[in-house]
Amino acid sequence: MSNIRLPDHHIAALTERGDKLASTLREIIDRYLELLARGRAIAARELSVDQVALVADALNGTWMQADTIHLLYAEVEDAIKLDGLDTKWGVDGRWLIARLRSLPDHVTAALVDAIERFRTRVGRGEQPDIRQIIHPA
């Protein structure tokens, strides 16, 4: 990657942590990636393959922002009500919504991140198995 441009509020947040912006940014990214890895591991234990596939299906065409990620359960709830995704994927929709609502934020973020990475692969022309978003073979 060549140049990265950051908004002023990101620069301010980085400089609060020290004067070496590049190393501070690397550390923050490392911490975030570690939290995502831990969150994916929890999601893999807590959610079935079909439940994760339903969430991915529900987010098709949706981009979750940092300030809306905690509303993942609501996106899934709408998709279940409008499109019957619980029937399509053979899962208990009410249980899934309640479980998503109770997940810690880092687990929800990890699930959304894994789905976004899955979409990126599809966008590149790959054909990954939707059932392997959190549960790799």
Side-chain angles (χ1 to χ4, degrees), residues 10-79:
H10 287 170
I11 299 294
L14 290 170
T15 56
E16 286 177 2
R17 291 162 174 82
D19 295 330
K20 298 178 181 177
L21 294 181
S23 61
T24 301
L25 184 57
R26 276 192 301 275
E27 182 61 33
I28 289 171
I29 291 170
D30 285 344
R31 288 177 192 157
Y32 179 69
L33 293 176
E34 179 62 25
L35 284 173
L36 291 179
R38 290 175 186 220
R40 278 192 308 276
I42 293 169
R45 286 193 308 267
E46 298 289 325
L47 301 172
S48 72
V49 171
D50 289 332
Q51 291 165 341
V52 172
L54 184 155
V55 174
D57 201 357
L59 292 182
N60 190 22
T62 302
W63 183 259
M64 300 296 295
Q65 300 294 322
D67 61 344
T68 61
I69 237 171
H70 68 283
L71 298 173
L72 174 63
Y73 75 91
E75 290 289 335
V76 171
E77 184 174 32
D78 286 348

